[in-house]
Amino acid sequence: MKPDLLRCKRKGFRLFAEALFTLSGTVTTVVILLIILFLFKEGAGLFRSNEVEKGYSLCVHASSPVERLSPAQIKQIFDYETEWIPFRLEDLFDRYSEEELGKDYALLPGKLGEEITKEPKLVAFVPTQYVPTGLPTVRVLPGSRIGWLRFFGGKEWMPTATPAPLFGVLPLLLGTLWVSLFAILIALPLGLGATVYLSELAGEKMRRLLKPAIELLAGIPSVVYGFFGLVVLVPFLQRTGGLPVGETALAGSLILAIMALPTIITVAEDAMRNTPKALREASLALGATRWQTIYRVVFPASVSGISAAIVLGIGRAVGETMAVLMVTGNAAVMPSSLLEPVRTIPATIAAELGEAPAGGAHYQALFMLGCILFLITLLISTAAEIISGKSFYNKKGI
Amino acid sequence: MNKRTSQRIAFGIFRILGISVVGILVGILGFIVYHGVGAVSWEFLTTAPSDGMTAGGIFPAIVGTLCLVAGSLTIAVPLGVMSAIYTTEYAGNGRVIRLIRIMTNNLSGIPSIIFGLFGMALFVNRLGFGDSILAGSCTLGLLVLPVVIRTTEEALKAIPDAFRTGSLALGATRLQTVGRILLPAAFPNIITGLILSVGRVAGETAPILFTVAAYFLPRLPESVFDQVMALPYHLYVIVTSGTDLEAARPVAYGTALVLIVLVLFMNLLASFFRKILDAKKG
């Protein structure tokens, strides 16, 4: 091979490799953009789907005053005693035999029309294909789309309810924040105490032993923490608290607190140890005790690092899935006490996505939950970034 | 109150807090080990579950987890290493690089269940991989990408500039410098990142729920389009939704122990590697 051809090949290879590096450099950015794209694309469909289950319609008598029904009203009619009479396809099968409905249910719409005509208070929930057409006495209720307000402001999450599922995010969102908030309240004193002990009090030997041990424990899989919570913590809470169920928000908060501890301790400890030696020495030289030095000098100096640790701990708690799924009891109700079951956003996704048919409203609602969770964690990690970039002493020009 | 007394009280409290935190964490570990050790045997590690997953072993789950580890590293390591080479050796210090750093940080902060959703939407549905090792490995690979990038970046940054200038002065191109000087020097650290990723991948449950994990599948996978069982998902299943939860407890303890040992061993190995490297540098 001629030397210049060889050089040319080499140059080609170099350019190729460099292009590959550049492309790879953007990979994390691309992945994040793809995550956003897919989450929102799958989730946004929710607001284009109808409130009533896909393929079904609600029919009433033409003279009925009902114009439009909200999912909550539909649920009221179909699940509780009201002045309206709920009517499903099963009810029709109860009243007519197979022969009367004809081959391939060809006569079904006619019979349905008769039923509706007979009873002006009837609200019928039937597959759209069987809706009687051309009858002046039957009116099909207009299907309205699932609204933003009902999704973000709704207080009930019943994704599998028929005829109209309820997708209210509030109980899940508040459940997530509720559990995480108490987790941090529990983890904070423990974590900061341990941090002070590790960075200021423990001897060098002890520190060398404990620090890696705590870091190591951060690696324990969350499903193992959940398992521990389920076999130890949950029965313990049930027994000592005399509770009907041990799977409560408190159990979730405790497990999350334990899980967040290693994160909080390692980050906060780094911040405290990075306090300039001169600051400590100056304080001690002025006659302050070690404790005074810690809380008057070291704490303020490392406040940004400690806050970042707290924020990261919250981030860990908010996104945690398996452990919470296993110990909180998963009741989708507005959280009101620590001793009752709650349900968080990640746990809802994990528990329900397997059963939600792809492309349906439930599936889309779960992706919408994913979007919300994604935005919350993005907010948290950005906050941590900003906080840890700021230092108390930098601001004061020291 | 005297300032010495207040110091004594404060330090006493901190000491108690510090030791109790370590106590809690070690207690959890000890609890699992204590209950799990009786369940683990050679037979447990090498046979398939039986009797509605209340007896038998966890062999298919171990194999499944190993498949996922191998698959996800095949994706994450080349991508992550190349990405780190770009950010440390090729890109300057401009806005693009800052953006990339922030994105990498953000990616590592995204909850694992989001990766599960994303993996399901992209790999399982859009690309049509179905529930398969391929889809699960891609999802887990993206999850550990930040770990690989970060450790490789640290390794490359730790190499003295004299290595680079020396190589360039001898007439080597940038690419040759990367390939023959920097990568070999950074290799041990890259291995550390790889080991850390193994620990992470082996323990994750949420990302594999909808992309690969099988409830019960006693046979071994034949291709990358097969579903597999995996250790963390298996533990979740036998703890929460088995046919006889009480009877499955010993198996659950055993599975938890195997999982912990696998993950902690990987992390220990990584920190051991790091220590040796630090000693070498010193």
Side-chain angles (χ1 to χ4, degrees):
Chain A
M1 210 185 283
K2 279 190 202 159
D4 55 330
L5 191 65
L6 196 69
R7 202 177 303 142
C8 200
K9 263 197 163 173
R10 253 193 216 150
K11 197 177 171 211
F13 174 69
R14 204 184 72 213
L15 287 177
F16 172 72
E18 286 175 1
L20 208 61
F21 291 155
T22 314
L23 271 182
S24 307
T26 60
V27 67
T28 49
T29 317
V30 172
V31 169
I32 288 204
L33 292 178
L34 277 177
I35 289 179
I36 295 173
L37 178 77
F38 270 87
L39 249 50
F40 279 88
K41 198 176 83 49
E42 301 275 333
L46 177 69
F47 301 110
R48 287 196 298 274
S49 45
N50 279 333
E51 280 174 333
V52 175
E53 208 175 318
K54 213 177 185 176
Y56 285 81
S57 298
L58 287 173
C59 314
V60 291
H61 192 275
S63 68
S64 166
V66 175
E67 284 295 333
R68 201 175 270 278
L69 289 170
S70 74
Q73 287 168 323
I74 296 171
K75 187 175 157 34
Q76 195 75 23
I77 292 171
F78 277 81
D79 289 1
Y80 302 98
E81 288 286 316
T82 56
E83 53 174 323
W84 304 98
I85 302 161
F87 191 82
R88 292 169 190 261
L89 215 49
E90 293 93 272
D91 299 317
L92 204 65
F93 287 126
D94 287 345
R95 291 180 200 180
Y96 297 95
S97 66
E98 293 266 338
E99 292 94 65
E100 283 176 297
L101 294 174
K103 196 168 168 256
D104 296 332
Y105 301 122
L107 302 174
L108 197 151
K111 299 286 184 218
L112 185 65
E114 282 174 30
E115 291 292 323
I116 296 174
T117 314
K118 258 191 275 174
E119 182 51 76
K121 290 256 181 232
L122 209 69
V123 179
F125 168 66
V126 288
T128 310
Q129 62 187 99
Y130 294 134
V131 169
T133 46
L135 273 175
T137 48
V138 174
R139 188 157 53 91
V140 180
L141 287 184
S144 54
R145 305 230 160 125
I146 294 170
W148 290 86
L149 209 65
R150 243 175 228 154
F151 183 72
F152 288 102
K155 289 185 183 162
E156 277 179 294
W157 176 265
M158 292 181 183
T160 52
T162 55
L166 293 166
F167 299 112
V169 162
L170 272 187
L172 310 180
L173 187 62
L174 292 180
T176 309
L177 299 178
W178 184 252
V179 172
S180 309
L181 175 75
F182 281 97
I184 282 302
L185 286 184
I186 298 165
L188 215 53
L190 270 175
L192 291 187
T195 306
V196 172
Y197 172 72
L198 261 187
S199 80
E200 310 291 326
L201 304 180
E204 194 52 32
K205 242 188 189 168
M206 198 66 168
R207 214 185 79 84
R208 279 224 192 123
L209 186 76
L210 293 185
K211 184 106 198 271
I214 289 177
E215 275 168 25
L216 209 60
L217 289 165
I220 295 183
S222 60
V223 67
V224 173
Y225 279 110
F227 174 51
F228 175 81
L230 201 61
V231 293
V232 177
L233 206 56
V234 166
F236 173 76
L237 285 177
Q238 189 175 8
R239 239 179 304 120
T240 50
L243 304 169
V245 281
E247 281 108 342
T248 54
L250 182 61
S253 294
L254 281 170
I255 282 293
L256 283 180
I258 294 173
M259 293 177 73
L261 276 175
T263 314
I264 295 178
I265 293 173
T266 32
V267 179
E269 208 257 358
D270 282 342
M272 285 185 74
R273 281 189 76 80
N274 284 338
T275 310
K277 216 172 175 186
L279 286 176
R280 288 170 199 272
E281 282 170 355
S283 164
L284 292 172
L286 286 172
T289 61
R290 275 169 72 201
W291 169 228
Q292 284 172 327
T293 306
I294 290 171
Y295 84 89
R296 296 248 171 96
V297 177
V298 178
F299 269 152
S302 48
V303 73
S304 69
I306 293 175
S307 327
I310 297 168
V311 174
L312 285 175
I314 297 175
R316 174 108 207 240
V318 167
E320 178 48 48
T321 311
M322 299 315 289
V324 178
L325 175 65
M326 291 163 85
V327 302
T328 52
N330 297 318
V333 290
M334 298 292 273
S336 56
S337 112
L338 271 184
L339 299 175
E340 276 164 25
V342 288
R343 172 169 246 204
T344 67
I345 291 178
T348 308
I349 299 173
E352 292 177 3
L353 190 59
E355 280 121 47
H362 188 190
Y363 177 87
Q364 292 164 336
L366 292 175
F367 271 88
M368 214 55 224
L369 284 184
C371 295
I372 296 174
L373 186 64
F374 178 82
L375 289 180
I376 295 175
T377 49
L378 206 62
L379 207 72
I380 290 174
S381 54
T382 314
E385 195 112 338
I386 293 170
I387 292 170
S388 61
K390 272 192 193 138
S391 155
F392 179 77
Y393 285 94
N394 280 347
K395 254 188 287 176
K396 302 220 158 164
I398 300 173
Chain B
M1 191 164 40
N2 184 307
K3 65 181 183 182
R4 303 238 163 261
T5 335
S6 72
Q7 164 160 326
R8 207 164 294 149
I9 294 170
F11 281 10
I13 293 172
F14 287 133
R15 215 161 254 141
I16 292 169
L17 286 176
I19 290 172
S20 57
V21 164
V22 178
I24 292 170
L25 295 170
V26 171
I28 294 179
L29 210 58
F31 178 82
I32 304 280
V33 173
Y34 175 78
H35 286 275
V37 119
V40 177
S41 64
W42 182 245
E43 202 203 333
F44 183 72
L45 297 175
T46 52
T47 56
S50 53
D51 298 336
M53 295 195 270
T54 56
I58 51 169
F59 185 59
I62 294 178
V63 172
T65 290
L66 293 180
C67 288
L68 290 176
V69 165
S72 54
L73 291 190
T74 318
I75 289 158
V77 170
L79 260 180
V81 169
M82 286 196 293
S83 171
I85 290 174
Y86 175 75
T87 50
T88 50
E89 304 301 323
Y90 282 89
N93 235 340
R95 276 212 185 129
V96 180
I97 244 27
R98 284 237 311 274
L99 180 77
I100 291 179
R101 287 258 150 77
I102 291 174
M103 286 300 187
T104 309
N105 267 347
N106 278 341
L107 192 65
S108 66
I110 294 177
S112 51
I113 186 75
I114 299 279
F115 281 93
L117 273 178
F118 171 64
M120 182 182 183
L122 176 63
F123 301 120
V124 176
N125 293 341
R126 175 52 57 93
L127 296 179
F129 294 166
D131 277 4
S132 61
I133 297 178
L134 185 59
S137 300
C138 290
T139 311
L140 288 169
L142 296 183
L143 179 82
V144 292
L145 203 52
V147 181
V148 178
I149 293 178
R150 211 168 285 160
T151 41
T152 312
E153 270 187 356
E154 275 167 26
L156 288 173
K157 275 187 203 150
I159 300 172
D161 269 342
F163 279 54
R164 296 183 181 87
T165 47
S167 167
L168 293 173
L170 288 171
T173 61
R174 244 177 170 183
L175 181 64
Q176 285 170 327
T177 310
V178 167
R180 305 217 180 131
I181 309 290
L182 300 181
L183 277 188
F187 184 70
N189 278 66
I190 296 173
I191 296 292
T192 312
L194 194 140
I195 298 171
L196 281 176
S197 315
V198 172
R200 182 88 197 270
V201 167
E204 282 291 350
T205 318
I208 59 172
L209 279 178
F210 314 113
T211 52
V212 48
Y215 184 80
F216 178 67
L217 191 70
R219 66 185 172 86
L220 298 183
E222 278 154 11
S223 79
V224 290
F225 291 104
D226 268 357
Q227 273 190 291
V228 281
M229 295 174 81
L231 280 174
Y233 183 62
H234 184 63
L235 176 59
Y236 170 65
V237 163
I238 55 179
V239 168
T240 57
S241 60
T243 43
D244 186 350
L245 291 182
E246 279 310 310
R249 272 296 140 76
V251 183
Y253 282 117
T255 312
L257 180 60
V258 171
L259 188 57
I260 285 187
V261 167
L262 181 67
V263 170
L264 291 192
F265 176 73
M266 283 299 157
N267 287 5
L268 261 181
L269 201 64
S271 67
F272 183 67
F273 243 87
R274 208 169 256 172
K275 217 164 256 173
I276 291 181
L277 291 172
D278 285 349
K280 239 196 215 164
K281 258 181 235 153

